[in-house]
């Protein structure tokens, strides 16, 4: 019995794994000498048992330790990451990515960690590449982008080479409709470790578990959230704030005594809408929608969702004192052309 089979047996018996055991599991999962079948059995057993917050925190530490260092220490202490787990199958526009553009245009340091589309038609990396930012930059170029534009995008495959030998088992499990810890781990292993984070999850029961995992992992400050969707037959929740129902928000780290409640569009001074108003599409469609929002012609419901997510981010980094002021600031940045100007400057820089 190899080490991974041993830990599969332990998790089948509902035993919690400590850090050293998780480290052994990680080494086996990234090895090309362990079979796909053995990896799948372990991941399935762990998922069936239910990953505890401490186990997830151990995986975060292990995979961060294996990641390429982007050398952004000069920025990480006051930077934020905004991302979601995906997996909600809502087909919405790239709200967290556009939100990151708004924040960066205001002077907030954003270190975004993401990938190409997996569960949607257009992932964060797809849109970021389309606005002109190359995905495979050298560390010096990433630092230059932070200095000039308050923005860095860390393309997950470029910073997590260890995932190369995990990809086949993830694909195999996906074909069977099976989930594993890797469905939620990605947003929590930003190799730059920015101080602040807004993390959306596809399932309401995950909100507290992910919050506790980030707490155990020592993440400094931020919010884990889930947006419940009202009056829709198929879509019940998404991994971002929306004006389509009640939003569950759990703080962690130094923000743990602040907001911990359900918030609706009304709490942001905005109006409710149906989930259809947030609809996105493929890359071309999402670029079209982005340009409409920038020009003030986008769907009101979508813009309200963007404003809500910006407002919470501004609150997390202490740029504003309340949600209403955050909405006003984000609205001004879009309406006065600051975000559009920022995007044009970024594009011009990388065309050189």
């Amino acid at each position: 019995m190899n080490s991974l089979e041993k830990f599969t047996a332990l998790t089948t018996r509902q035993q919690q794994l400590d850090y050293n055991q998780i480290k052994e599991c990680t080494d086996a999962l990234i090895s090309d000498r362990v079979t796909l079948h053995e990896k799948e059995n372990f991941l399935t057993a762990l998922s069936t048992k239910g990953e505890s917050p401490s186990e997830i925190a151990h995986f975060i530490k292990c995979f961060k330790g294996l990641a390429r260092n982007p050398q952004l220490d000069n920025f990480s202490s006051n930077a934020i990451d905004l991302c979601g787990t995906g997996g909600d199958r809502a087909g919405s526009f790239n709200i967290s990515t556009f939100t990151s553009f708004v924040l960066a245009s205001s002077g907030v340091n954003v270190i975004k960690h993401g990938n190409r589309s997996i569960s949607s038609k257009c992932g964060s990396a797809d849109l970021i590449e389309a606005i002109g930012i190359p995905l495979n930059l050298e560390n010096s170029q990433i630092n230059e982008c932070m200095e000039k534009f308050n923005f860095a995008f860390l393309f997950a495959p470029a910073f997590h080479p260890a995932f190369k030998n995990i990809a086949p088992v993830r694909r195999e499990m996906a074909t069977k409709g099976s989930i594993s810890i890797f469905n939620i781990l990605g947003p929590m292993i930003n190799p730059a470790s920015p101080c602040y984070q807004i993390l959306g999850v596809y399932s309401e029961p995950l909100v507290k578990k992910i919050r506790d995992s980030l707490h155990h992992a020592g993440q400094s400050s931020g919010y884990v959230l889930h947006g419940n969707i009202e009056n829709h037959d198929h879509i019940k929740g998404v991994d971002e704030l929306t004006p389509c129902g009640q939003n569950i928000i759990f703080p962690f780290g130094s923000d743990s005594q602040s907001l911990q409640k359900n918030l609706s569009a009304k709490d942001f001074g905005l109006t409710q809408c149906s989930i259809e108003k947030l609809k996105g599409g493929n890359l071309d469609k999402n670029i079209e929608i982005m340009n409409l929002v920038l020009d003030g012609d986008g769907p009101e419901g979508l813009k309200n969702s963007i404003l809500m997510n910006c407002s919470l981010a501004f609150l997390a980094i202490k740029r504003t004192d309340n949600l209403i002021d955050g909405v006003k600031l984000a609205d001004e940045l879009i309406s006065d052309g600051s975000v559009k100007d920022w995007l044009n400057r970024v594009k011009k820089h990388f065309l050189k």
Side-chain angles (χ1 to χ4, degrees):
M1 180 182 291
N2 64 36
S3 61
L4 202 55
E5 290 175 330
K6 175 180 66 178
F7 295 126
T8 299
L10 289 177
T11 55
T12 300
R13 296 198 295 270
Q14 302 295 303
Q15 182 168 323
Q16 298 291 308
L17 303 181
D18 62 25
Y19 173 75
N20 290 328
Q21 292 171 320
I22 294 290
K23 178 68 171 64
E24 283 191 59
C25 293
T26 301
D27 292 341
L29 288 167
I30 66 173
S31 172
D32 58 3
R33 297 181 180 181
V34 179
T35 69
L36 184 151
H37 181 67
E38 290 166 342
K39 294 177 184 180
E40 182 179 2
N41 284 347
F42 169 73
L43 292 171
T44 300
L46 185 63
S47 178
T48 301
K49 176 184 76 67
E51 304 91 344
S52 70
S54 62
E55 288 173 327
I56 295 172
H58 297 328
F59 274 110
I60 292 171
K61 182 176 181 180
C62 288
F63 278 100
K64 276 191 172 183
L66 293 167
R68 166 187 154 197
N69 185 353
Q71 299 176 324
L72 290 169
D73 294 350
N74 290 340
F75 304 98
S76 295
S77 63
N78 63 358
I80 189 170
D81 185 12
L82 307 101
C83 57
T85 58
D88 56 32
R89 305 194 183 281
S92 58
F93 175 72
N94 302 91
I95 291 171
S96 65
T97 303
F98 190 90
T99 297
S100 72
F101 299 161
V102 176
L103 265 69
S105 76
S106 77
V108 173
N109 286 334
V110 177
I111 304 176
K112 186 165 175 59
H113 177 238
N115 206 341
R116 291 194 185 277
S117 171
I118 295 176
S119 60
S120 64
K121 296 178 181 178
C122 178
S124 59
D126 302 305
L127 188 62
I128 284 168
E129 186 177 47
I131 69 165
I133 300 179
L135 300 183
N136 291 293
L137 294 174
E138 298 296 328
N139 283 0
S140 59
Q141 295 172 298
I142 293 170
N143 273 267
E144 183 182 17
C145 195
M146 282 297 303
E147 290 168 359
K148 291 186 174 182
F149 306 111
N150 315 109
F151 186 85
F153 182 68
L154 307 183
F155 184 45
F159 284 88
H160 295 284
F163 273 70
K164 176 184 176 182
N165 290 325
I166 296 173
V169 69
R170 290 194 68 189
R171 285 194 295 268
E172 176 66 19
M173 294 182 74
T175 63
K176 300 175 181 178
S178 301
I179 62 171
S180 75
I181 190 170
F182 294 109
N183 290 76
I184 58 174
L185 192 63
M188 295 185 279
I189 54 173
N190 186 323
S193 298
C195 183
Y196 305 100
Q197 184 165 16
I198 304 291
L199 199 165
V201 297
Y202 62 85
S203 167
E204 183 177 341
L206 278 176
V207 177
K208 185 177 185 302
K209 178 184 281 193
I210 298 301
R211 188 277 305 269
D212 292 345
S213 300
L214 291 168
H215 173 75
H216 281 289
Q219 179 69 22
S220 299
S221 181
Y223 300 99
V224 181
L225 59 90
H226 173 76
N228 285 314
I229 304 301
E230 297 177 0
N231 303 317
H232 196 280
D233 292 338
H234 308 297
I235 303 169
K236 301 303 180 185
V238 296
D239 63 347
E240 50 216 351
L241 297 181
T242 81
C244 310
Q246 291 290 315
N247 299 280
I248 315 302
I249 301 174
F250 272 55
F252 62 86
S254 61
D255 280 322
S256 60
Q257 300 305 314
S258 58
L259 288 168
Q260 185 170 323
K261 60 176 94 174
N262 295 356
L263 295 175
S264 69
K266 184 178 179 181
D267 296 295
F268 293 80
L270 300 168
T271 56
Q272 191 161 333
C273 73
S274 68
I275 187 67
E276 280 76 19
K277 301 298 183 182
L278 277 56
K279 204 73 175 173
N282 60 18
L283 177 59
D284 290 340
K285 181 64 177 178
N286 282 8
I287 291 173
E288 177 187 338
I289 294 171
M290 180 179 75
N291 289 330
L292 287 172
V293 174
L294 290 169
D295 292 334
D297 297 322
E300 182 183 2
L302 174 59
K303 184 179 179 182
N304 285 350
S305 185
I306 291 167
L307 296 178
M308 290 169 68
N309 285 276
C310 289
S311 176
L312 188 65
F314 282 133
L315 189 68
I317 62 170
K318 314 297 189 292
R319 179 70 176 269
T320 55
D321 296 324
N322 59 70
L323 296 172
I324 302 297
D325 286 349
V327 166
K328 290 178 181 177
L329 175 56
D331 194 21
E332 289 171 4
L333 290 163
I334 297 171
S335 300
D336 70 10
S338 295
V339 184
K340 190 172 186 178
D341 177 66
W342 180 87
L343 285 165
N344 288 334
R345 288 189 291 113
V346 169
K347 186 175 294 187
K348 184 178 179 180
H349 172 79
F350 285 105
L351 281 174
K352 290 188 302 183

